[in-house]
Amino acid sequence: MLLCIDCGNTNTVFSVWDGSQFLCTLRTSTEHQRTADQYYVWYSTLIAHHKIDAMITDVIISSTVPRVVFNLRVFADRYFNTRPLVVGRPDCLLPVPPRVDQGTSVGPDRLVNTAGAYDRHGGDLIVVDFGTATTFDVVAEDGAYVGGVIAPGVNLSLEALHAAAAALPHVDVTKPQAVIGTNTVACMQSGIFWGYIGLVRGITDRIRGEYDRPMQIIGTGGLAPLFATGDVLFDTIEDDLTMHGLTVIHAYNKENGTL
């Protein structure tokens, strides 16, 4: 079985893939000081809780936090006796290499989302990922990542608003009852919710105009379903797009003999 690990700035997600479906998905906070042994205690406890007899034979890692990769590699080697495939490293092949400025480093999460989205929907896509940052990835007709946009994430914007304005409280991200708020919390919720609706709509419209051909918009990330309730922003929402992309990249490397 394949263990897919997606390490983001806020959370790290582990999913067990049996070749046809994900048996379980586990989530923990991203902490660079967490050791391989701590990962295993956490992982084995939850696997036992889910009553899954998962004999892991392969591990693939995508990480936007370089400092955690070492301990995740030790975790894979020590407890599963396998050398993990790390997206973004030279020995990890991509189905289609990115076409960006020479010397540019593309985030592993964006490469993985591109592979997963192209496998499911073909090319000419915009992948909107609501993570710590809100990213827009442009996938060409042949499946190559060809660039995109990075904007502040929703929760990051809320934290910055609270930190910079002492009188403003922490608020939940939710769809407000009306655009015009009649109290401070409602005003903030409206600004965040409708502000990001406008941001996504405006950026995707400009990408489509610049790309100059029909494009599908794929939403992913925990907040994608919430923002889809405010407007018709996405053609499709994919909850497991990143994990699916990891299985696609792993299968491609298996087929091409790098594993």
Side-chain angles (χ1 to χ4, degrees):
M1 291 189 188
L2 172 65
L3 177 61
C4 300
I5 304 176
D6 173 40
C7 179
N9 290 293
T10 304
N11 292 317
T12 299
V13 182
F14 290 60
S15 289
V16 178
W17 173 254
D18 70 354
S20 60
Q21 64 179 336
F22 288 108
L23 300 181
C24 71
T25 297
L26 315 173
R27 185 180 298 269
T28 185
S29 59
T30 298
E31 298 176 6
H32 70 270
Q33 69 271 27
R34 184 171 291 163
T35 67
D37 298 334
Q38 288 174 315
Y39 276 118
Y40 185 71
V41 169
W42 168 82
Y43 169 83
S44 60
T45 300
L46 288 181
I47 285 292
H49 173 76
H50 284 279
K51 297 181 171 61
I52 295 174
D53 183 16
M55 183 64 70
I56 301 299
T57 58
D58 295 272
V59 178
I60 183 169
I61 300 169
S62 168
S63 177
T64 58
V65 186
R67 288 190 295 176
V68 306
V69 174
F70 174 77
N71 283 326
L72 287 172
R73 290 174 72 107
V74 174
F75 163 75
D77 178 64
R78 180 177 297 168
Y79 292 104
F80 304 119
N81 194 31
T82 183
R83 176 176 170 269
L85 185 66
V86 181
V87 178
R89 297 290 174 88
D91 60 344
C92 178
L93 302 179
L94 298 173
V96 184
R99 292 196 294 271
V100 293
D101 293 343
Q102 188 173 3
T104 298
S105 177
V106 181
D109 54 333
R110 309 184 82 175
L111 298 173
V112 171
N113 283 348
T114 294
Y118 180 72
D119 183 68
R120 284 181 170 171
H121 303 285
D124 296 330
L125 308 174
I126 305 170
V127 180
V128 184
D129 188 354
F130 292 89
T132 304
T134 301
T135 59
F136 300 74
D137 302 327
V138 179
V139 184
E141 183 180 15
D142 64 349
Y145 170 86
V146 293
V149 176
I150 301 175
V154 177
N155 288 308
L156 190 63
S157 295
L158 279 171
E159 288 294 330
L161 192 60
H162 172 72
L168 296 182
H170 287 287
V171 298
D172 294 330
V173 183
T174 187
K175 182 181 179 181
Q177 294 182 345
V179 176
I180 301 173
T182 55
N183 57 67
T184 301
V185 170
C187 288
M188 292 176 66
Q189 288 175 332
S190 183
I192 287 293
F193 184 83
W194 294 110
Y196 271 85
I197 292 287
L199 181 143
V200 172
R201 171 66 68 198
I203 289 178
T204 53
D205 283 350
R206 286 182 175 275
I207 290 174
R208 279 173 158 168
E210 192 171 290
Y211 196 73
D212 198 26
R213 62 188 301 166
M215 304 181 78
Q216 293 185 72
I217 301 176
I218 312 300
T220 191
L223 291 174
L226 171 64
F227 285 101
T229 65
D231 204 349
V232 183
L233 295 176
F234 311 114
D235 294 290
T236 307
I237 293 177
E238 298 279 4
D239 294 331
D240 63 345
L241 184 64
T242 302
M243 288 301 168
H244 177 67
L246 286 171
T247 68
V248 171
I249 292 174
H250 181 267
Y252 183 79
N253 280 266
K254 277 278 192 183
E255 292 167 4
N256 287 273
T258 59
L259 293 175

